[in-house]
Amino acid sequence: MDASPELCCLVCAIDLGTTYSGYAYAAKREYQYDPLNITVPNWFDPSPNTFSNKIPTTLLLDKDQSFVAFGCEAKNTYADLEKKGKNDDHIFIPQIDFIFQDTIEMV
C-alpha cells in the first residue's frame, strides 16, 4: 500500500540555540487544519532527573571526530569520562552552534 504524499509530509521547526536546542513537528494535513496542533518531544536529563522540551546544545566526539553523543547524553558521558581520567581521547563541544555560525559566515 503506497502512502499519499499528503500524509507523509511534515512541518518541522528546529531551534539550534547557544545553550539549549529543541524541535517541533506536525503532520502537514493537521497543521493546515490547526497550526497549533504540534508535537514538541520531551528529553530526559538524568542529572537533575527532569524532562524538558529543550536539550543542551552539546556534542561529544571520539578521537577520530566521529559522533559519540548529543545533548544530556554528551554532557553526562563526558563527565563520567573525566572522572575516570579517560577524556583525553574525546572532544567535548559545549556550544556547537558556534561551529555553524563560522560556516554560515563563510558562505
Side-chain angles (χ1 to χ4, degrees):
M1 181 171 140
D2 290 332
S4 165
E6 287 183 9
L7 298 176
C8 295
C9 294
L10 295 175
V11 176
C12 302
I14 300 171
D15 172 16
L16 184 62
T18 302
T19 308
Y20 291 94
S21 296
Y23 71 98
Y25 64 92
K28 182 179 176 185
R29 174 177 270 173
E30 292 174 17
Y31 180 79
Q32 289 172 329
Y33 175 72
D34 180 6
L36 299 179
N37 184 13
I38 60 174
T39 299
V40 181
N42 282 317
W43 301 86
F44 178 68
D45 187 350
S47 51
N49 204 25
T50 58
F51 286 92
S52 175
N53 59 3
K54 296 282 188 164
I55 189 167
T57 308
T58 58
L59 181 65
L60 181 61
L61 306 174
D62 65 15
K63 64 181 177 183
D64 299 321
Q65 298 185 4
S66 295
F67 176 82
V68 174
F70 178 78
C72 299
E73 185 180 347
K75 186 174 70 169
N76 296 334
T77 300
Y78 189 75
D80 289 343
L81 289 167
E82 239 178 351
K83 286 178 190 175
K84 297 173 185 174
K86 298 181 178 183
N87 59 316
D88 290 340
D89 288 343
H90 289 79
I91 302 165
F92 180 68
I93 305 169
Q95 296 177 325
I96 66 169
D97 71 322
F98 290 123
I99 295 169
F100 297 124
Q101 182 179 2
D102 291 342
T103 303
I104 291 169
E105 288 176 3
M106 291 172 51
V107 174

